[in-house]
Amino acid sequence: MMGERTVAQEALFYEFSLERHVPAHHLLRAIDLFVDLSGIRAHLRPFYSDTGRPSIDPELMIRMLIVGYCFGIRSERRLCDEVHLNLAYRWFCRLGLEGDVPDHSTFSKNRHGRFRDSDLLREVFETTVRRCMAEGLVGGEGFAVDASLIKADANRQNGVPGKDGLAPETANHAVREYLTVLDDAAFGAATPVVPKFISPADPAARWTAAHGGQAFFAYATNYLIDLKHAVIMDVEATTAVRQAEVGAARTMIGRTQDRFGTWPEKLVADAAYGSAENLAWLVHERGIEPHIPVFDKSTRRDGTFSRSDFAYDHDRDLYICPDGKELRQFRRPFAVPRDGIDPEGLMRYRAIKSDCDACSLKPKCCPKDPARKILRSIHEGARDMARDIAATDAYVTSRRERKKVEMLFAHLKRILKLDRLRLRGPCGARDEFLLAATAQNLRKMAKLMPAGAPPLAA
């Protein structure tokens, strides 16, 4: 017999507990164990007035942002709707059943005001890093660094030629923010090359075709991770050029050492970080082993001898060619000593023309030049160290471990949905990258440290 729904009289009283209705295995339950926002009120106190109406609780807004970035909800309007309807989100945000959800405009006002001025989002991120260290998830022995391009909120069809610049009448908020970072090594000062196109909506976004397809406006998010459990130790937003990414790696290494006292023994990276200057900085200034491919263009492709075919004599500071002849910087002493270093940091070692003319190997050495010369960087010692490391078994392991940072970028784009920015400008990119890295660290701890498990440090 077909049943029929009966209309029951509504009860006068209900007994309902959010605590009982959020499943024990829910991700937010695990994340909540590692969220410590006890210090944000003291951190923000100088940015609030002592008089007037009470504001929205900043801890509530940060918890809502954590929910949004953990579950790929980056629209503030949609986030408010989801927190209003989802019981687990309400439980995590300490709202209860009758708590009011802030208006979406409140997020914009605080993000562009107090949160940004106080650098609160970085403080929240670094709190998660300290918790990861306390739980034993950070080894501190090996780090890896890499960068990934994230599309900016700028239409590629609306770009203007970079050589024309931006007209004075277009000096909107985005242009003014761009002008403030023109001297920043992570943005305007990263390279003197004028981009092909500039976006009036977000001038700091860089026009790039690095992915091989259609060019687009983008920023770069830079991760410095610990290799033990792929915990993100630091994150930095830069323009989408290699010079800025290398500079960001130095910034993150220095900041991590200052903030957390971590001093890694090795750094793993790809060839983009293998310039002579960067390798020398790692080896001589930081004492870090570079598990990095050397960026080297000395190998010739026309069949003639490359620089690797010449042996360098460290004691006498000269090169010996395959025929046994010497290549020196100077053949006589000078009254005023010379270092022989050009503005690019290179030294030139030259053979004697008479030796090359009489040499039977000249067609394979310098067929178009009267004598052979070799360029040597002033940082060649650090490059040689990186080459020696590349021949070890530890280097093979490091190349495999480097994939951990690439997996974090894949998780960032596919799971957290951060393949395109919603906020504009360098500050907007920093905010989004910091919140996303915070969410990834919290999810990491929730996965590796379930409720009731002892800390790995024990």
Side-chain angles (χ1 to χ4, degrees), residues 254-300:
R255 186 162 52 205
T256 303
Q257 292 173 346
D258 294 339
R259 303 283 177 88
F260 309 119
T262 55
W263 201 284
E265 298 177 2
K266 66 178 182 180
L267 179 70
V268 182
D270 57 26
Y273 301 84
S275 63
E277 295 81 2
N278 193 49
L279 294 175
W281 182 84
L282 289 171
V283 173
H284 301 307
E285 295 190 29
R286 296 292 174 172
I288 300 174
E289 292 184 359
H291 287 233
I292 304 172
V294 177
F295 186 76
D296 191 357
K297 293 185 176 180
S298 64
T299 302
R300 295 190 173 186

Side-chain angles (χ1 to χ4, degrees), residues 173-236:
H173 173 77
V175 175
R176 291 194 297 271
E177 185 177 353
Y178 168 66
L179 294 176
T180 61
V181 297
L182 276 179
D183 297 329
D184 194 331
F187 293 99
T191 173
V193 178
V194 177
K196 187 175 181 179
F197 293 103
I198 296 177
S199 169
D202 192 352
R206 190 79 180 185
W207 179 261
T208 178
H211 286 171
Q214 282 189 331
F216 56 94
F217 294 106
Y219 287 92
T221 178
N222 299 263
Y223 276 5
L224 180 70
I225 72 165
D226 182 83
L227 290 176
K228 182 178 180 180
H229 287 292
V231 170
I232 303 172
M233 300 297 296
D234 205 351
V235 57
E236 185 76 3

Side-chain angles (χ1 to χ4, degrees), residues 166-445:
L166 296 173
E169 58 269 14
T170 63
N172 53 20
H173 173 77
V175 175
R176 291 194 297 271
E177 185 177 353
Y178 168 66
L179 294 176
T180 61
V181 297
L182 276 179
D183 297 329
D184 194 331
F187 293 99
T191 173
V193 178
V194 177
K196 187 175 181 179
F197 293 103
I198 296 177
S199 169
D202 192 352
R206 190 79 180 185
W207 179 261
T208 178
H211 286 171
Q214 282 189 331
F216 56 94
F217 294 106
Y219 287 92
T221 178
N222 299 263
Y223 276 5
L224 180 70
I225 72 165
D226 182 83
L227 290 176
K228 182 178 180 180
H229 287 292
V231 170
I232 303 172
M233 300 297 296
D234 205 351
V235 57
E236 185 76 3
T238 64
T239 189
V241 295
R242 187 178 64 187
Q243 297 93 317
E245 295 168 4
V246 174
R250 298 188 186 187
T251 299
M252 292 188 294
I253 291 172
R255 186 162 52 205
T256 303
Q257 292 173 346
D258 294 339
R259 303 283 177 88
F260 309 119
T262 55
W263 201 284
E265 298 177 2
K266 66 178 182 180
L267 179 70
V268 182
D270 57 26
Y273 301 84
S275 63
E277 295 81 2
N278 193 49
L279 294 175
W281 182 84
L282 289 171
V283 173
H284 301 307
E285 295 190 29
R286 296 292 174 172
I288 300 174
E289 292 184 359
H291 287 233
I292 304 172
V294 177
F295 186 76
D296 191 357
K297 293 185 176 180
S298 64
T299 302
R300 295 190 173 186
R301 302 182 183 278
D302 58 359
T304 58
F305 293 137
S306 299
R307 186 176 62 188
S308 58
D309 297 313
F310 293 74
Y312 180 69
D313 189 328
H314 288 269
D315 296 332
R316 296 189 293 166
D317 187 24
L318 55 84
Y319 278 94
I320 299 177
C321 76
D323 194 47
K325 303 299 190 298
E326 296 179 353
L327 288 77
R328 295 178 176 270
Q329 273 191 285
F330 308 111
R331 297 287 175 174
R332 63 182 179 85
F334 293 92
V336 178
R338 303 180 180 182
D339 57 14
I341 303 173
D342 67 9
E344 297 180 356
L346 298 175
M347 300 176 290
R348 286 168 170 78
Y349 294 75
R350 297 177 176 86
I352 300 177
K353 183 176 181 298
S354 58
D355 289 343
C356 291
D357 289 339
C359 182
S360 61
L361 298 178
K362 189 176 190 302
K364 289 196 62 178
C365 184
C366 53
K368 298 180 181 180
D369 298 320
R372 181 62 187 262
K373 67 179 179 180
I374 296 291
L375 298 178
R376 180 179 176 85
S377 170
I378 58 174
H379 307 302
E380 199 66 30
R383 286 157 59 93
D384 288 340
M385 179 179 180
R387 293 188 184 100
D388 293 340
I389 292 174
T392 64
D393 293 336
Y395 180 82
V396 177
T397 302
S398 297
R399 303 314 298 166
R400 184 171 61 251
E401 290 179 325
R402 194 182 71 83
K403 296 179 181 179
K404 292 181 179 180
V405 66
E406 296 175 353
M407 293 171 63
L408 283 171
F409 289 139
H411 180 269
L412 176 71
K413 296 178 181 180
R414 300 188 63 182
I415 306 301
L416 303 188
K417 310 299 183 184
L418 189 58
D419 55 348
R420 184 185 178 95
L421 294 172
R422 293 186 62 88
L423 303 182
R424 292 176 176 173
C427 293
R430 291 191 189 105
D431 290 354
E432 292 224 56
F433 295 158
L434 282 168
L435 282 168
T438 301
Q440 287 183 293
N441 277 349
L442 288 172
R443 290 175 64 113
K444 177 76 66 177
M445 285 189 283

Side-chain angles (χ1 to χ4, degrees), residues 154-168:
N155 192 332
R156 63 184 304 275
Q157 304 294 337
N158 296 335
V160 299
K163 58 183 177 59
D164 297 340
L166 296 173

Side-chain angles (χ1 to χ4, degrees), residues 90-146:
R90 278 185 167 272
W91 173 84
F92 181 80
C93 296
R94 309 293 193 264
L95 281 173
L97 283 176
E98 298 181 353
D100 293 329
V101 178
D103 188 80
H104 65 89
S105 61
T106 306
F107 285 94
S108 299
K109 184 174 180 60
N110 283 275
R111 265 182 152 178
H112 297 287
R114 299 182 182 96
F115 289 2
R116 192 167 289 174
D117 295 340
S118 64
D119 208 12
L120 175 65
L121 298 182
R122 176 161 290 279
E123 177 68 21
V124 172
F125 166 74
E126 291 181 352
T127 300
T128 66
V129 177
R130 294 187 185 95
R131 185 59 184 270
C132 288
M133 297 175 67
E135 297 291 345
L137 301 181
V138 175
E141 298 177 356
F143 284 178
V145 66
D146 204 355

Side-chain angles (χ1 to χ4, degrees), residues 5-11 14:
R5 181 176 61 89
T6 58
V7 180
Q9 181 180 0
E10 293 188 5
Y14 289 93

